[in-house]
Each structure stands twice: as structure tokens, then as C-alpha cells.
Amino acid sequence: MENIIETEKAKWEIVVGLEIHCQIISKSKIFSGASTEFGDDPNVNVSFVDAGMPGMLPTLNKECVRQAVKTGLGLNAKINTYSEFSRKNYFYADMPTGYQITQFKYPIVGEGEVVIDLADGKSKKIGIERMHIEQDAGKSIHDLSPNKTYIDLNRAGVGLMEIVTKPDFRSPEEAGAFLRKLRSILRYLGTCDGNMDEGSMRCDVNVSVRPYGSDELRTRCEMKNVNSVKFVMQAIENEAKRQIEVYENNGNVIQETRQFDPSTGQTKVMRKKEFAHDYRYFPEPDLPALVLSEQYIEEIRRDLVELPDAKKQRFINTMGLTPYDAMVICENKDVADFFEKASHNHDAKKVANWMMSDFFAMLNKKKLSIDESPVSAENLGNLVELISKDVISGKIAKEVFEIMAETGDNPEKIVEEKGLKQVTDTKAIEDIIDRVIADNPDNVEAYKKGKTNLLGWFVGQTIKLSQGKANPSIVNQLIRKKLDN
Amino acid sequence: MSDITKLTIHETLAALKNKDFSASELTRAYLSNMEKSKHLNAYITECGEYALEQAQESDDNYLHGNNRKLEGIPLGIKDLFCTKNIRTTAASHILDNFIPPYESTVTSNLLNDGAIFLGKLNLDEFAMGGSNETSYFGPVINPWSKNVELVPGGSSGGSAAAVAAHLCAGATGTDTGGSIRQPAAFCGCTGIKPTYGRCSRYGIVAFASSLDQAGPIAQDVRDCAILLQSMAGFDNKDSTSCDIAVPDYEKFIGKDISGLKIGIPKEYRSEDLNEDVNKYWQMSVELLQKRGAVIKEVSLPHTKYALPTYYVLAPAEASSNLARYDGIRYGYRGEGEHLDNLYINTRTTGFGKEVKRRIMIGTYVLSAGYYDAYYLKAQKMRRLIYNDFMDAFKDCDLILTPTSPITAFPIGDAHMLSNPINMYLNDIYTVSVNLAGLPALSLPIGLAQNGLPLGMQLIGKPFAEGTIFQAASALEEDAHFERI
């Protein structure tokens, strides 16, 4: 897709790279045994290591390493068998040791790529520069008291994966599609819950612009901790406009850290480059280098779940879904699993259609997640089966679905109890048709004189009188026979 | 029995087993010595009551035959080891009210073996110093002092002074650049810095993580072997500790040394070597030779860079390790309207001059634009120094050097205080060992013409502490050094 921002003066192109911090799903913190539980009372999940007590030493949590390797494989990235931890030194009240243990020169995951699906049906490869693991800081709470800051160290030491992309995004939409795709991959893998509003996935956005057609990389500005996909897209849009305006007024964009304000959608200066920290990175002497065997990596690769792209392809190839339907269904693993269960031995395309329409609409209306759905996957499959076997019509099926959504009952039972079974008995249908013909001599006359498009009207009337139970194709057949004779 | 506090640990253990005296009597005798020697300023915190409780337990254990390896042995603990419910200061104002809710692995190992803790021993602030003069709690006086008050060396100055003056049966120390060996030499004690990774660093206030190691200071080689046996071992709370079984060190004591190859590094034989030091070094060579050891000349070509390398790397790590002392969660807190003022006032007042100097050096060498020239270069040099030793060890089993180029000097010595480099130069024989992560022991070899003790250093291959004990016990027997 061409993404050009055209002003009165020139054509511009956006260049964006993302850095995403993802909290690792693990029972305990990355360098201590304390719990990672979210939402507990302040400072209850804090070990002596997390609090930076004298003489305390970090020990690496193997589960976090495993999760990072899984994630790396999910990003189609190179897993580095040798990686190192470093200290990033800076003072802040919620950083108890005065340094963050992170990876600097030798990250655990190297280059990779993620395919994003775009609105025009096309897809695009986004390069991953690297991913490293590190510890999170605690939280400073400034708004509980007018003159005090409170510190909560529950989050201090929780494992993070920092994913750095290449500057491959050319529009806000691409960045949005990437974040959704990344979230989907992480949730499939079970390595991060991807909840941006809870801060378990946080995004730093690097934006620059350049004249369209050029391949230079101009000065970029970084916006830290933008906490929703929508805000990331907004931030890119508005920051790019701001930079273009600067250039078009013969100014220069200055490298700086800017803050995105969700209430205005605008960005403002947070920290100029000359006030940037000197983090004095150096190798963490308390932790030996992290060396992984090829066998260890292969074992994780072997046990990897089917990822959204592979699943999508399978749904297209073997289940006959359209690429769009497959993409929507595969974005969320629970949805994809539901779909697979529902379409087992049933018409997969029909199941997909039902899910994309009535089923999602119902969940939305009831504000339920898929695992809370009153309609089970088996029951949705059975409903589709009833339609396929002409037991009920599509129209009746909608009615049955409404009842299923209220009661959770299976469709056979509903159809049976309510007597909704389609009438396929030709004698009964013929009786109704005869009544329709007898009651509407004018239309019969008109039809016979050539107004054959009235056929639909006769079919409709007949089905209506059957209270929807008459099988439409049988009705159609019989009416033709009677009228054409 | 004349003075039970003058016995070595192995003698004391035999006497306790023999019920010659009780652990309580012994502990009271040490507490009485401590009371009489307060002027030495060896202890920062005494815990007599706690010691007597432990002694009672030890007596019960002896009574019931449940006595453990170090049952009833009263020890002094360098105040860099966190001890549960006992104040731990690192000799710094910034921690002078800090009471850890946890026990270091090394002290925990000693407690589990039945040792008794008499108190916390003085040291240079955060172990940064070679004379014990940087302590917030004042200098320690070397028990060998006659007319002039002398330093005990550092940083484990309190440990060495307390052992020499019989204020404890043995002591723990830590050694980052010579902090066990140099004070042991200055005070006529024996001390060993084991291989990096031999003792857990968990619960020891960190100075320079890649160099720090715990070890014992005691009256003789056998006592060091006994104490190290208890202190050492793998600990999953310290990722740099090594999962290698601890051999029975005492078995190496008195073992024949004939055929053992002793390396003498030619680079250490400088022209301006102190006459006494040179004499005793030569004497040690001859004593070892008499017992059948083979003397080999070896080369450590990069040794001249050891000191600058050390004084880049150690401060770099220290500058980061000491960042946690910020007045937020524990320890001393200075006043401050804003976070920055609070940090500045806490750390300006809380840290002493030498500590601040090293934090500044460390911060500088890690700074953008200087990292490659200093830190990175020093790391490369560290590797070359390690390679030197490994090459030398192809030709020998142990390396023999003096521990320190000088004997103990007066407290407040104008020359030492005029320039920090003068003080740092005392570490010339010891720092390279830490950079290479090797084990090394210092034992007293004799008195210099000024009547003060001199030490000899035996450096071993990684995890060859046993071989060091073997040679050191032979040298000790022949040197006939007389303790106070």
C-alpha cells in the first residue's frame, strides 16, 4: 500500500519503529522467587533481592528464559545460544538497586520477522531487530498525597521481554496491525497476556518522516509508554504531522523523548537529548553468561503451539475459509479453538459465517468473552448441521440461535420442543399453496400473463403461512408446477 | 591451663571434646579479652549475650555427644557479612543502623557447624582500603604496635587484629584485592582467599562482585583449612558459586611436598624490593627446597598492569553496587525536599571520602566515551593476566611471592595519606590473584628488622586450595614464626 502524506508543498513518508515491553507470564520474578501476581496489596510480593537489600544476589528464573525462547521462535527469530546480562545504571526511587538488569550487547533473541495483515487484503513483513529479557521497575505513586510519593515494589523484578522492530512501518495502520498481530502471537504462546491497559504490554514509538521516495533516515522522536493500539496510531499520525510542519517551515526536528497525551492526541517534549541518561551499561558480574544448547531450543520449537499464521493458512487450505474470515478467526486463539471444535464434522464455512455474524454479535451484545459464551461450540456446530440437513431453514435457525443464547440448550431439543422442524411433507405444503392460489386470483392471473417474477411472492406467502417451517426449495418446486400447469 | 584463648582452633576443639573447659568458659574468656582490648577498636558491634547463649547450646551438644565440626568455637565476623538480627554496617555511616533480617550463606554455614559469634569486626568502609583507616567507626590498632600505633592493614583489619590479639579464635574476612592476605601479613596471622566461586557471596555486602571472595583469617594454616571447610560450598543463591565438592582440606596439612613445583615470578624480583622481604622470600624458597620442592622461575609478563586494571574494574563495579544505598528503603537518610536532594544529601553524608572517590572513578570509567578506553581495556587486560597465570601453572603447582612489599605502617602515615596511589601500591602482589580468580594464602614468615611480621603468599591453581594448605603447612612448620 502506498502511504503518502501529501501537503501543499510536498509528499512525505512516515518511518516508524516500535519497542515493545512485554511482561513475561511466569509464577515468579525473573531474578527472585517472589510472586508476580498482579493486583495484590502494595509491597507484598517483594523479596530481599527485589528490595535491593545489601548482599542480595539475582538468580535467573529458568521459566522466564523458556518463555523468551518460545517468544523468539514465535517471532521467527534467531535464538542466540550465547547471551549476556548487563546493568543499566540510573537512580530512581522505584529502582531499588540503582540499576536495571537487562541485556545489552548480547540479547537472547536476534533478528526475526512478523507478517502483518493489512486492510486491503495484502500482507507485509515487519523485521524484528532483536529481543532481550530484563527486569521491570517498581511503581511510584504520586497522587495519593500532595507532598509524598509512595513506592510499590510488587512489580519490581517482574520479567520483561523487550522487542525492538526495524523501522519498517510506513503508516499508523501498519503499526496497529503489528501490535495486534504481536499480541495474538504472544497470547497463542502464553508468554505474555498482552493487556496494554494493564501495562503488561507497553509500547515506545519512534517516529521520523522523510520526503517521499527518499531512503534516508531522519532524526526521530521517541514517545514512551503509549498504552493502547489506538493511541499508538494516533501518536504516529500526529507526531508525523508535527514533524512535517517543522520541516516545511524550514525547521529541524530535534532528537528528543516526547510524551503522548491521550486526552489531546498530541505529543509534547518530555526530555531533550542533552538530558538523556548515561546508563553506564556494563556486564552484570552477579550473573554468568546465559548459554543455551541447540537441543534445548529444538525441544521448545518442537513443543510450540500452532501459531496464528500457520493456523490461518490451514483454515484457508483445508477448511475452505476466505483469507479474511481465517484472519479474523485466528487472531484470538480461543476463537480459533472454538471454531475448530464447532466445525468438527460440520460445514466449516457455514460455521465461520455464523461465528462472524450472529455469534460475535451476540457476544458483543452480552459483553461476554468467547469462553463465557452460553452457546457452546458443539451446539453451534449442531445448529449448522440442522441447516445443512434441511431440518430447519436459515431463518428458523436464527430463531433457534436466539433461544440457545438465552438458555444454552442444544438446538435439536429447541427445534423438537418448539415444533420448528421444516415441513418437507409435499401434501401439507400443497394444501397451503392451494390456499394461497385460491386467495389471490389476481396475482395468479398476472403471473400467468407473464409476470413470472411474482413467483417469489407466492413462495414467501406460502412459507409465511407455514410459519416458516416449509422447506423453501420444495415450496418453490411445487408452486411452479401448479402455476405453470 | 594458662590462657585458653591462645590455643588454635584445632587445639581448642580437642580440649572441648576432652572437657578441659566448656564452650561457655571459653566464650567468657574471649569476651573478657575483648573488654580489656577495647582500645584496639577491632569490633564494631559486640554480641556477648548472643555468644553466651550459643555457648550454652554448644555445651549441651558436647554433653549429649551432638557436637558439630566447629562446636563452641568463638569467632569474629567481618562486619561485611549480613548477620540476622545483628547490626551490619560495612563500617559505613550509611548502614550504621542496618539490622539484616537474613543471614549470609557463609556465616550460616559456620553457625550450622556450631561456631559461636562474638561480634562484628571492624574494616575499611565497604572494604575499600588497605589500612582500616577508612572505617566510619575509626581505625583499628595493630596488636603488634609498640611505641607508635600501627595500622592492621585492610580491609579485614579488625579480623586480623582480633585474631592476633586473641579476641576471637578465628575470623571471617573478605578479599577483593588483598583484603584478607595483607592484614593477615601485617598482624602475623594466616589467611586464605579461596578460588572465586568457592564461597557463596550471598549476604556479603558487595564491593566488586567479580572479585569479592570470603575466606578465613586464623592463627595457623590448619585453622584456616578447618574454617574454610565450613565456609565453602555451592550455593544456589549465588549464581557465581561453583558446584564443585569441597575436599577435606585438613588432610592436606603436613602432607609431603617433595616434587611439588613452586614457581617464582621473575617480574616480582625488582631491584627496589625491600631487603627484609627479599631475605624472607629467599629463605622460603630454601625451606621449601629442603623438603624436596622443585623451584621454577616463571613469568607473569602482564603483572605490571594488574594494579591499574584492578583500580578500574573494582571501582566500576563498586559504583554500581553502591547505588542501592540511596536512603529510600533502609540505612541512613539525609534530608531532601526532592528526590535528587535526598539522594545527594544521603550519599554525601553517608559515604566516607575513599568510598566517594571510588564511586567517582567507577562512574567515570563506565561513562559514555570513556568505557572503551578504561573499562573495556581493563577487562581485556584482566584476561591477559589470567592467561599469564595459566601459562605459568603449566610449569608449576604453586607460585610463591611476598604478600606485601612493606610491614605495617603508622596510623595517619603522611606518605600513605598524601596520595591514594601510595596506599594502592601495597596491593601490588595481591590484586592480580583476584583478577585471575585464583586461591592464595598468606602466612607469617618472620619479623622484619623493625620487629613487625612479614607474610609470604602461596598462589594456587583454581580450586587447588588443598595444595596451598599442603605447602603452607610445611613452610609454617619450618619458619617457626612466633605469634603474640
Side-chain angles (χ1 to χ4, degrees):
Chain A
M1 202 191 310
E2 295 268 286
N3 288 292
I4 308 167
I5 299 182
E6 205 167 345
T7 67
E8 284 170 15
K9 296 180 183 170
K11 285 179 174 179
W12 295 89
E13 182 174 54
I14 301 180
V15 179
V16 173
L18 301 177
E19 291 170 27
I20 307 112
H21 288 88
C22 309
Q23 266 182 14
I24 302 172
I25 294 178
S26 62
K27 284 202 180 70
S28 46
K29 296 183 179 180
I30 186 166
F31 300 120
S32 83
S35 162
T36 55
E37 197 60 42
F38 180 80
D40 278 352
D41 286 342
N43 295 311
V44 297
N45 299 326
V46 184
S47 73
F48 295 136
V49 176
D50 306 323
M53 301 294 274
M56 290 298 100
L57 300 171
T59 50
L60 180 59
N61 178 349
K62 289 190 180 118
E63 182 55 22
C64 292
V65 174
R66 195 175 189 82
Q67 293 287 62
V69 171
K70 255 193 198 178
T71 305
L73 293 172
L75 301 174
N76 301 305
K78 179 175 183 293
I79 308 298
N80 292 322
T81 51
Y82 179 93
S83 66
E84 264 182 22
F85 291 96
S86 287
R87 290 188 187 175
K88 178 180 179 178
N89 294 284
Y90 67 94
F91 282 93
Y92 202 63
D94 56 25
M95 174 52 73
T97 48
Y99 54 82
Q100 178 193 32
I101 304 176
T102 179
Q103 295 189 300
F104 186 54
K105 235 178 162 175
Y106 302 98
I108 186 167
V109 174
E111 290 188 325
E113 68 183 28
V114 169
V115 177
I116 56 169
D117 304 296
L118 299 168
D120 60 5
K122 287 191 181 139
S123 56
K124 176 176 174 174
K125 280 180 187 164
I126 300 297
I128 302 294
E129 179 69 37
R130 60 181 271 164
M131 186 194 93
H132 64 256
I133 48 178
E134 60 186 19
Q135 57 181 173
D136 210 341
K139 268 183 189 159
S140 294
I141 304 152
H142 302 290
D143 53 5
L144 283 180
S145 156
N147 48 13
K148 280 183 185 163
T149 293
Y150 289 84
I151 308 289
D152 178 6
L153 296 180
N154 280 352
R155 203 182 66 183
V158 168
L160 293 177
M161 300 177 281
E162 182 176 336
I163 298 165
V164 182
T165 75
K166 293 189 186 287
D168 283 353
F169 304 102
R170 296 289 171 269
S171 71
E173 290 72 29
E174 289 181 5
F178 176 81
L179 286 173
R180 282 194 301 271
K181 188 57 167 284
L182 177 65
R183 189 164 58 191
S184 164
I185 293 170
L186 295 171
R187 285 176 177 167
Y188 263 69
L189 294 167
T191 56
C192 170
D193 66 28
N195 295 331
M196 289 186 85
D197 49 346
E198 280 177 10
S200 47
M201 191 165 130
R202 307 192 284 269
C203 191
D204 299 344
V205 189
N206 287 295
V207 178
S208 67
V209 295
R210 64 185 172 199
Y212 182 75
S214 123
D215 58 0
E216 64 179 320
L217 285 176
R218 292 198 173 187
T219 306
R220 64 195 157 89
C221 291
E222 184 182 25
M223 281 147 295
K224 291 237 178 236
N225 282 336
V226 188
N227 66 358
S228 82
V229 175
K230 197 179 106 192
F231 292 154
V232 167
M233 292 168 66
Q234 239 175 57
I236 294 169
E237 178 98 48
N238 292 330
E239 175 60 16
K241 278 188 192 146
R242 184 190 72 84
Q243 291 183 15
I244 291 169
E245 212 174 288
V246 170
Y247 286 128
E248 292 193 342
N249 288 297
N250 298 319
N252 268 316
V253 170
I254 300 158
Q255 189 178 340
E256 59 197 5
T257 304
R258 300 180 67 86
Q259 197 166 26
F260 174 75
D261 181 354
S263 63
T264 62
Q266 300 300 316
T267 67
K268 59 175 191 255
V269 187
M270 196 167 117
R271 193 166 58 219
K272 295 247 183 225
K273 193 194 174 192
E274 53 266 38
F275 297 110
H277 292 291
D278 180 354
Y279 290 120
R280 290 171 282 120
Y281 284 98
F282 75 104
E284 164 59 282
D286 286 333
L287 292 168
L290 177 57
V291 180
L292 306 175
S293 71
E294 291 292 349
Q295 189 198 343
Y296 169 87
I297 297 165
E298 279 320 303
E299 273 167 24
I300 296 176
R301 193 194 302 274
R302 213 178 48 214
D303 296 343
L304 220 55
V305 296
E306 185 185 31
L307 288 168
D309 282 343
K311 208 183 268 297
K312 179 183 142 192
Q313 212 48 55
R314 181 164 61 85
F315 286 178
I316 295 168
N317 293 347
T318 68
M319 302 177 92
L321 299 202
T322 65
Y324 178 76
D325 287 3
M327 181 194 82
V328 173
I329 282 174
C330 290
E331 183 167 339
N332 179 323
K333 182 167 182 290
D334 292 339
V335 172
D337 288 347
F338 188 99
F339 165 77
E340 277 214 272
K341 218 166 163 188
S343 56
H344 182 67
N345 288 333
H346 307 305
D347 184 335
K349 260 190 97 166
K350 274 197 181 127
V351 171
N353 287 339
W354 269 89
M355 284 184 69
M356 306 274 291
S357 53
D358 299 58
F359 181 75
F360 284 153
M362 180 272 296
L363 291 182
N364 267 340
K365 208 172 116 196
K366 290 181 184 284
K367 295 195 169 66
L368 294 176
S369 67
I370 192 150
D371 53 321
E372 299 164 328
S373 167
V375 177
S376 70
E378 289 88 348
N379 284 343
L380 186 67
N382 290 338
L383 181 68
V384 168
E385 191 63 19
L386 291 179
I387 306 165
S388 301
K389 288 194 170 152
D390 282 342
V391 179
I392 53 173
S393 67
K395 198 166 166 238
I396 292 286
K398 282 183 188 287
E399 246 173 75
V400 174
F401 182 80
E402 298 267 301
I403 300 167
M404 288 166 75
E406 290 315 310
T407 64
D409 277 345
N410 73 56
E412 294 95 330
K413 187 180 159 214
I414 296 167
V415 168
E416 197 63 47
E417 278 177 8
K418 306 254 166 188
L420 295 173
K421 253 190 195 155
Q422 203 157 231
V423 180
T424 47
D425 174 358
T426 41
K427 180 73 189 51
I429 295 174
E430 268 179 287
D431 289 349
I432 299 171
I433 293 171
D434 290 344
R435 242 163 67 205
V436 173
I437 289 173
D439 291 351
N440 299 284
D442 295 352
N443 281 346
V444 175
E445 192 64 29
Y447 178 87
K448 291 200 166 170
K449 280 188 176 156
K451 235 181 155 186
T452 50
N453 58 1
L454 273 169
L455 181 71
W457 181 87
F458 281 102
V459 173
Q461 284 300 304
T462 309
I463 290 174
K464 199 172 155 193
L465 278 176
S466 79
Q467 288 164 323
K469 288 185 280 185
N471 180 309
S473 64
I474 297 177
V475 172
N476 204 306
Q477 239 172 36
L478 293 175
I479 289 180
R480 267 177 206 269
K481 217 158 87 188
K482 284 191 185 285
L483 290 179
D484 294 347
N485 282 342
Chain B
M1 186 140 305
S2 50
D3 184 353
I4 57 177
T5 61
K6 291 204 167 173
L7 299 174
T8 62
I9 290 172
H10 50 97
E11 288 164 347
T12 305
L13 282 169
L16 285 168
K17 273 180 213 154
N18 203 34
K19 316 259 188 307
D20 294 347
F21 46 81
S22 69
S24 300
E25 283 172 88
L26 179 70
T27 303
R28 274 194 291 273
Y30 277 112
L31 290 173
S32 151
N33 282 5
M34 285 156 68
E35 194 56 38
K36 281 180 251 167
S37 300
K38 282 222 185 277
H39 65 285
L40 295 181
N41 200 25
Y43 282 89
I44 292 175
T45 306
E46 297 182 0
C47 46
E49 256 179 60
Y50 174 56
L52 287 169
E53 276 171 37
Q54 290 174 286
Q56 187 56 56
E57 201 188 313
S58 289
D59 285 334
D60 288 348
N61 285 338
Y62 274 111
L63 191 66
H64 297 106
N66 297 332
N67 45 303
R68 296 161 287 176
K69 280 189 286 185
L70 287 173
E71 194 71 62
I73 298 298
L75 300 178
I77 304 299
K78 186 179 185 181
D79 207 13
L80 202 64
F81 292 82
C82 289
T83 41
K84 191 172 181 177
N85 301 329
I86 304 171
R87 182 171 76 138
T88 300
T89 67
S92 181
H93 182 28
I94 213 157
L95 281 177
D96 62 6
N97 61 5
F98 178 63
I99 298 172
Y102 47 86
E103 187 80 39
S104 83
T105 298
V106 163
T107 50
S108 172
N109 289 345
L110 291 167
L111 289 173
N112 288 336
D113 281 342
I116 292 167
F117 291 172
L118 296 164
K120 305 298 290 291
L121 294 162
N122 208 340
L123 65 150
D124 281 295
E125 185 180 0
F126 282 102
M128 296 177 190
S131 66
N132 216 118
E133 290 168 287
T134 71
S135 169
Y136 176 68
F137 298 91
V140 174
I141 296 168
N142 188 325
W144 288 81
S145 306
K146 292 184 184 84
N147 306 319
V148 184
E149 289 183 342
L150 305 173
V151 301
S155 68
S156 309
S159 302
V163 169
H166 307 290
L167 311 183
C168 58
T172 64
T174 62
D175 191 317
T176 306
S179 281
I180 287 175
R181 292 158 286 160
Q182 185 252 27
F186 276 20
C187 293
C189 303
T190 304
I192 180 166
K193 177 206 98 72
T195 311
Y196 185 79
R198 183 71 291 185
C199 290
S200 168
R201 293 183 295 113
Y202 177 84
I204 301 172
V205 174
F207 161 15
S209 311
S210 74
L211 301 157
D212 296 344
Q213 259 298 291
I217 294 180
Q219 295 199 63
D220 68 3
V221 176
R222 185 183 291 269
D223 280 6
C224 278
I226 293 169
L227 288 177
L228 183 61
Q229 184 83 49
S230 173
M231 294 164 74
F234 173 67
D235 178 13
N236 60 17
K237 296 200 286 292
D238 173 4
S239 309
T240 63
S241 91
C242 290
D243 196 359
I244 296 174
V246 182
D248 184 351
Y249 291 134
E250 232 188 314
K251 278 198 176 150
F252 288 89
I253 307 293
K255 222 173 130 184
D256 180 20
I257 63 159
S258 63
L260 210 61
K261 285 176 276 181
I262 310 286
I264 307 293
K266 62 176 181 191
E267 290 81 2
Y268 285 42
R269 289 195 176 280
S270 71
E271 299 228 327
D272 49 4
L273 194 64
N274 174 302
E275 193 188 319
D276 290 320
V277 172
N278 200 19
K279 182 186 99 184
Y280 279 111
W281 194 7
Q282 197 48 47
M283 182 190 91
S284 303
V285 165
E286 284 158 18
L287 291 176
L288 289 167
Q289 249 172 339
K290 255 187 214 158
R291 286 196 180 232
V294 182
I295 305 300
K296 298 246 174 182
E297 190 184 77
V298 295
S299 174
L300 300 170
H302 297 95
T303 199
K304 55 178 177 249
Y305 302 115
L307 213 54
T309 300
Y310 175 85
Y311 277 98
V312 168
L313 296 180
E317 293 184 21
S319 71
S320 174
N321 282 335
L322 269 58
R324 66 186 61 199
Y325 308 108
D326 56 7
I328 304 287
R329 295 165 310 285
Y330 52 79
Y332 171 79
R333 176 187 287 189
E335 296 290 318
E337 282 265 306
H338 302 290
L339 189 59
D340 283 352
N341 303 114
L342 186 146
Y343 284 151
I344 291 166
N345 293 335
T346 298
R347 290 166 66 84
T348 303
T349 312
F351 289 134
K353 198 174 151 195
E354 181 64 22
V355 170
K356 280 185 271 194
R357 185 193 336 268
R358 298 203 192 185
I359 289 174
M360 285 191 286
I361 293 171
T363 304
Y364 179 81
V365 299
L366 289 176
S367 295
Y370 300 97
Y371 180 89
D372 288 0
Y374 293 98
Y375 183 83
L376 202 63
K377 195 155 230 170
Q379 283 284 50
K380 288 177 183 164
M381 188 47 70
R382 183 178 186 173
R383 170 52 66 170
L384 295 175
I385 289 165
Y386 172 83
N387 291 346
D388 277 2
F389 275 108
M390 291 303 120
D391 287 344
F393 280 129
K394 285 175 189 157
D395 297 326
C396 63
D397 303 299
L398 292 169
I399 292 172
L400 178 78
T401 77
T403 307
S404 159
I406 51 164
T407 57
F409 48 87
I411 291 173
D413 184 80
H415 172 70
M416 289 297 173
L417 298 182
S418 65
N419 183 346
I421 303 284
N422 295 340
M423 190 77 87
Y424 299 167
L425 281 168
N426 297 332
D427 304 334
I428 191 121
Y429 301 126
T430 49
V431 290
S432 56
V433 173
N434 297 76
L435 290 169
L438 301 171
L441 175 144
S442 173
L443 79 160
I445 197 70
L447 300 181
Q449 289 167 49
N450 61 11
L452 295 174
L454 274 170
M456 275 298 137
Q457 175 175 240
L458 280 161
I459 307 166
K461 297 173 185 175
F463 298 100
E465 284 83 358
T467 316
I468 293 178
F469 287 133
Q470 183 183 348
S473 66
L475 197 52
E476 176 183 59
E477 200 178 306
D478 296 342
H480 304 292
F481 179 80
E482 276 189 47
R483 298 189 289 265
I484 299 179

